[in-house]
Structure formats: structure tokens, C-alpha cells
Amino acid sequence: MSVNLSTDTRGHPTVKAGIRSKFLAKLWGQRYLQVMALLGVAWMILFNYIPMYGILYAFKDYIGIGKMGDAPWAGWTHFQEIFEDDQMIQVIKNTLGISLLKLVIGFPLPIIFALFLNELRSLKFNRIVQTISYLPHFLSWVILGGILTAWLADVGIVNDILMGLHLIKEPISYLAEPKYFWTIVVASDVWKEFGWGAIIYIAAIASISPELYEAATIDGAGRFQKMRYVTLPSIRGTISILFILAVSALLNSNFDQILVLKNQVNESASNVIDTYVFETGISQGRFSYSAAVGLVKAVIALFLLLFANSVTKRMNQSSLF
Amino acid sequence: MKRDRRTLGDIVFDNINVIGMLLLCFITLYPIWYVLVNSLNDGKDAMTGGNIYWVPRMFSFENYSTVFKNAGIMTAMGITIAKTVVGTVIHVFFTAMVAYAYSRKELIGRNVYMVIGTITMFFGGGLIPTYLWYRDLGLLDHFGVYIYPAMFSFFDLVIFLAFFREIPDGLEEAAKIDGANDFSIFVRVVLPVSLPVVATIALFHGVWQWNDYFTGLLYTNKEVLQPIQTFLYRVIAQSSSNQMAQAVGGSITRRVTGQSLKMATMVITTFPIVLAYPFLQRYFVKGLMIGSLKG
């Protein structure tokens, strides 16, 4: 500052140049770091941002050949088409139905599992149960699809057992009947992920101060009371953050899983937004239309995220942003 | 919770809890056991003699020897191994490298870089724009489609970031005085002390690479580029068991069936994961904590 006051206008740029050369010197000093960081940015531009720009396909009439820029503009016609599409209602119903069921059943189960695991007296047994519980997370949906198709076939072991118990008379082809599809999808998802989903809660429970439990014991609290008044309130923050993430992923009804279990016979219950985009876009070549469907889904997902975030924020002051 | 304080209610509760947990373990493990015993049973016998529940009825290794003799399945297995090994090494190295640069406080433009990355966690182009862009890049029917789009993940970067912040600055300064540049500090100093987080990310990414069938399904038509999971997807979801038998070469004269071959292929496909699991398990619980609670 003193330099600026004592010199004339010719002195001013000298100071600026000094700052600039200092900045450049600092930048040069961290040239390796900058290259390392910019390689990451370059990757993100190439594989994240350019596909985002590709959202424009939804506003074009693109028939699969040539560059996007050459295709004529279509305005909102593809979005109007979505409203006129008979299949869309079914697709949205399936997407929301399967996702909501997964949320209602699949979200609390890891918490309950973690609570009861915490009550095990033997630490060794606790570890063994934990290790077994997250093993299925590491199996692929293709493998699980293989197991499920074998079990649920006419001659599979599910029919075998149910007929042995005289609960049913005729074998049922479960995967060929739409009415069983949601149950199969939700049950197999819960089986695969409950242990994995519990890991974070287990860690949160482990960090609760033992003094709280001791105090509760002195106050005469039983096992269930301790769960309700000590453990659950202590992990509330973790629960709400995971809840926000679960709600924001509500429209992602696990593409991998449904694609494996879906077939032409159960389509009325198994076609979700993601499989619909995949089939209309890639298999039928209606690129612009299915890009529009994908965009509508992304917009709704964004609103769901904001909605869940504000709800949990109001409820207990913890939120993602 | 001392032993002498147990009331009758506690004892009942504990016993029910233990029985419940044992039941849970059984439900979790049985499907895996089922596949194993069926893969070790004679295929024709399994088809005609009723379901096998506990142990093989007619023990046989023929399913496995048929699978191992099949060139198509072995090629698919080779692709899976290649994409998992190459993909994981590149993913871990590249993501950690960018994360290291991001973790340095003096990095000019750090906030801008963080915003650029955070946006990618919540927004994307979607399936169709991504597919068409990869096509324009020439990635269709190219092995690179398994590697390049998967070599970086901002979510994993955040996990690395949390870990790198804990490394004492003195370690890097000492290397700097010795004349090392930032890149060699990263390779020679930072990476070696970051084994837990490197193992965690390697496990996550490795499992994803190993299990991913969709990339192969979407971006490749060439059979030689098809990973084993895509191969299995095609025989499980899209066709009857007979096609598995045909896929395996039509030489099915003897005791194997499409179903029994499927079981053997499933075991072979899952085996490496089950094998690596106990070694890496102690890392991932820790690594997951770092990432999830802060990210």
C-alpha cells in the first residue's frame, strides 16, 4: 500500500506485475501438482461433462447416424410424446412401486439388524455374523439371477418345498407371473444388501459412549428401553443422512438386478424407467425419445434429493448441504 | 452388561437373539452352498432325480472339466481377469494421484476443482448421451471401454482425500528437501503409507469390475470382448438352459446339462471374490467409515 501511495501511475503496474510474477512463480512451483489435478479435470470433462452436454439429444431428432449437431431441432416434441405414451404410466408405476417397497422394507432392516447385533454378548460371534452378513453384497446380480431362476422354476426348490408342505397343488412359474415380481425383487435385494447396509450403523453404535448405557442401567432401563432411548437417538444423524441418499436414489430401482430378472412374460410388472430407456434407446434406436425420458427422470431425482434434504433438515438439523 | 446382572428376561432375550442370528447366517449362506453342491453333482441326475439340497447325490467333476475345456468361457474369463486387473490398477493409481493434488492446501484453484468434481456426483448425462459419446470416441467393441470410463471416480477421490489429510506434513517436507518433485513424493512417499485406503478402493473397484456385466452388454457385440458376467447374463436372463449347453459347444452327449454347467460356471466366477474376501475385509470396513461418514 505504501508503495502505491508514494509512486506515480507508472509505479502502479510495477506492483501489479510483482504480484503477478509472484503468482506465476507459485504456479510454476506447483506445476506437477497442477498437471496431476488437471488430468482429473480433463477426465471429468471427457466422461462426465460432455455426456451432460449430450442431454441436447433429447431436444433433437437424432436417428443414430452422423453428429448430433447435424440433426434438426425437435423442441419439446419428445417430452410431449412421453405424456402420450401408454407404457409410461406402467413404467413409472413400476419404478416408484419397487423403489418405495425397497425403501420401506430395505431401509429399516439394516438398522434393526445392527441394533440386535449390538446386543450379542459374544464379540467373536458378533464378528462371525457380521462377516457372513455382508458376503452376499460381493456376489453379482448375474449370479443371484442364476440362483433365483433355478429356485423359482417349475421344478425348483421353492415349488418343491411348498408342494411338500401341501401349501400349493400345482407348481408355479414365479418369474413368469407379474404379480410375484415385486416381491422377488425386494426380497432378493434385502437378502443381498442388509448386512452391508448395517456396517455404517454398527460403526455409529460402536462410537456411543458406554457411560450412557451405564446411566440407563442405573435408571433401571431394560434391553429394549436402552435400544430406544440410548442407541437409536445416538445414531439419528447417520440415519437421516443415509435416508436422504436413499430417497434421492428412489428412481434408481437397481437397473442391474431388474435387467437380470426381467423377461417378456413379467414385463407388465418389471419394466422400469432405466430398462425402458435401455430398450427404447439402444434396442429400438429411438435415441432422442429415450434421452428425453432419461432427462425427465434426472430432473425428478433432483427434486427428490432436495425434498428429502429439506425434510430431514427440518426434523433434526442434519442434512447433506 | 455384566454376567451376574442377567435377569430371566435377559436370558430369554439373549437366546432368542442368538437363534435369530444363526438363522440369518443360514439364510445367507445356504444359496451359496446350494450352487456349490449342484455344481458338483452329475447334471442328468440333478435334472431327473429331483432337487439336491445338502450334498451331491452323484458326485462328479464333469461339469467343471466341460467348462474348463470350453474356449468361449475361458476367453470370457480371460477378459474378466484382464479388465479387473488392469482396470483396478489404473483406477486406484489415477484416482489417488488426482486426490493427492486436490488434498494439498497450496494448490491454486483448489475450490474450483472441488466444485467441478462435486457436480459430477449428482449430475450425469444419462444412458443415451453417454452411449452415443462413447460410440463417437470409438470405444464400442474396444477393450478400452472397460478401462477409460472407469479409471476415475470423484466419490473414491473423496475417500482418498479424507485419508491423505491425516498424513503428517513433515513426511512430504522431508522428501521435498531431498529434491523430490510432487509426483515422485506421491509415488514414493504417499502411496506406500496409504495401504489401507488403497486396499479398500482396490477391493471396491475390483469387485465392481469383476461383477459388471452391463458394460459388456451395452458396448460390445464381439464375443471375444465379452466378460464372463455378460456371458452368464446372456444364458441366464435371455435364454433357456439348452442354449447354455449349445454355447458350450454342442458336444453335450454325456452327463452334463445346461443347468449343471451354469452352476459350475457360477462357482468359478464367484470363487476369486470369496477367496479374496477374508484378506481384504479388515481394510474395507475401515475404509468405508472414512468415506461414508465424511463424504
Side-chain angles (χ1 to χ4, degrees), chain B residues 180-203:
Chain B
N181 66 46
D182 288 307
F183 183 73
S184 57
I185 291 174
F186 163 69
V187 175
R188 301 227 190 111
V189 180
V190 175
L191 268 190
V193 300
S194 307
L195 189 65
V197 71
V198 165
T200 306
I201 303 292
L203 173 76

Side-chain angles (χ1 to χ4, degrees), chain A residues 111 115 226-236 239:
Chain A
I111 303 174
L115 287 177
K226 274 186 233 169
M227 273 187 204
R228 233 191 105 186
Y229 297 109
V230 180
T231 316
L232 265 183
S234 306
I235 60 171
R236 219 163 92 175
I239 294 176

Side-chain angles (χ1 to χ4, degrees), chain A residues 37-51:
Chain A
L38 286 170
L39 280 171
V41 173
W43 185 95
M44 286 189 270
I45 290 170
L46 203 58
F47 290 104
N48 290 129
Y49 284 92
I50 291 178

Side-chain angles (χ1 to χ4, degrees), chain A residues 30 34 49 62 131 223 256, chain B residues 14 113 116 135 213 277:
Chain A
Q30 53 176 247
Q34 285 292 344
Y49 284 92
Y62 183 74
T131 305
R223 303 292 270 276
D256 271 11
Chain B
D14 286 336
Y113 295 151
I116 291 174
R135 185 201 61 183
Y213 72 92
Y277 179 71

Side-chain angles (χ1 to χ4, degrees), chain A residues 278 282, chain B residues 76 79-80 83 131 134-135 138-147 149 212-231 233-234 238:
Chain A
F278 176 59
I282 307 295
Chain B
I79 290 287
T80 296
K83 93 197 246 281
Y131 174 84
Y134 287 7
R135 185 201 61 183
L139 286 175
L140 299 195
D141 284 327
H142 190 291
F143 184 74
V145 81
Y146 300 126
I147 310 299
D212 171 49
Y213 72 92
F214 190 66
T215 308
L217 180 69
L218 186 56
Y219 300 111
T220 64
N221 284 317
K222 277 191 199 156
E223 223 160 83
V224 288
L225 275 174
Q226 181 174 259
I228 189 81
Q229 302 278 355
T230 311
F231 172 88
Y233 167 78
R234 291 205 160 110
Q238 295 189 329

Side-chain angles (χ1 to χ4, degrees), chain B residues 18 49 115 133 151 153 158 180 222 255 263 281 288-289 292:
Chain B
V18 168
V115 170
W133 174 235
M151 73 192 258
S153 140
V158 173
K222 277 191 199 156
R255 314 289 314 167
M263 295 292 166
Q281 190 213 339
L288 195 74
M289 296 307 133
S292 55

Side-chain angles (χ1 to χ4, degrees), chain A residues 23 26-27 29-41 43-52 54-55 57 62 64-66 113 116-121 125 127-147 149-151 155-157 160-161 191 194 196 199-200 203 213 217 223-224 226-227 238 245 255-257 259-263 274 277-278 281-282 287-288 290-291 298 302 305 320-321, chain B residues 1-6 10-11 13-14 17-18 21-22 24-25 27-32 34-35 50-53 94 97-98 100-102 104 106-109 113 115-117 119-120 122-137 139 148-154 181-183 186 203-204 207 211-214 217-218 229-230 232-233 236-237 259 262-263 265-267 269-270 273-274 277 281 284-285 288-289 292-293 295:
Chain A
F23 174 81
K26 197 182 166 197
L27 198 63
Q30 53 176 247
R31 58 192 182 280
Y32 286 96
L33 280 184
Q34 285 292 344
V35 169
M36 286 153 81
L38 286 170
L39 280 171
V41 173
W43 185 95
M44 286 189 270
I45 290 170
L46 203 58
F47 290 104
N48 290 129
Y49 284 92
I50 291 178
M52 280 187 223
I55 286 167
Y57 277 114
Y62 183 74
I65 37 168
F113 173 61
F116 278 91
L117 200 66
N118 186 49
E119 294 294 330
L120 285 179
R121 300 173 70 84
F125 185 55
R127 291 276 151 76
I128 294 170
V129 177
Q130 262 192 65
T131 305
I132 292 172
S133 75
Y134 34 66
L135 184 62
H137 172 79
F138 292 91
L139 305 181
S140 75
W141 273 117
V142 171
I143 300 292
L144 275 189
I147 298 177
T149 44
W151 281 21
V155 292
I157 69 176
D160 222 26
I161 292 169
W191 180 82
F194 80 92
W196 186 251
I199 292 186
I200 292 168
Y213 289 105
T217 315
R223 303 292 270 276
F224 286 104
K226 274 186 233 169
M227 273 187 204
T238 311
L245 293 175
F255 195 11
D256 271 11
Q257 176 195 15
L259 206 59
V260 166
L261 296 172
K262 183 178 177 299
N263 56 43
D274 286 332
V277 168
F278 176 59
I282 307 295
F287 295 107
S288 288
S290 61
L302 180 65
L305 173 70
L320 266 187
F321 39 82
Chain B
M1 284 180 225
K2 282 180 191 142
R3 206 165 284 267
D4 48 318
R5 287 235 193 98
R6 285 176 88 187
D10 277 344
I11 293 167
F13 177 91
D14 286 336
N17 199 7
V18 168
M21 289 294 171
L22 286 174
L24 209 64
C25 290
I27 293 170
T28 308
L29 290 177
Y30 181 69
I32 301 165
Y34 171 87
V35 176
N51 281 306
I52 291 145
Y53 288 92
F94 188 75
M97 183 190 77
V98 181
Y100 176 65
Y102 273 47
R104 296 289 289 269
E106 74 267 24
L107 183 78
I108 295 166
Y113 295 151
V115 170
I116 291 174
I119 289 171
T120 65
F122 295 100
F123 300 95
L127 183 75
I128 302 298
T130 307
Y131 174 84
L132 293 170
W133 174 235
Y134 287 7
R135 185 201 61 183
D136 293 347
L137 282 175
L139 286 175
Y148 308 130
M151 73 192 258
F152 179 78
S153 140
F154 193 75
N181 66 46
D182 288 307
F183 183 73
F186 163 69
L203 173 76
F204 286 170
V207 169
N211 282 342
D212 171 49
Y213 72 92
F214 190 66
L217 180 69
L218 186 56
Q229 302 278 355
T230 311
L232 268 174
Y233 167 78
I236 286 168
Q259 188 69 16
K262 233 195 258 178
M263 295 292 166
T265 315
M266 281 158 66
V267 172
T269 308
T270 312
I273 285 185
V274 176
Y277 179 71
Q281 190 213 339
F284 71 66
V285 177
L288 195 74
M289 296 307 133
S292 55
L293 297 178

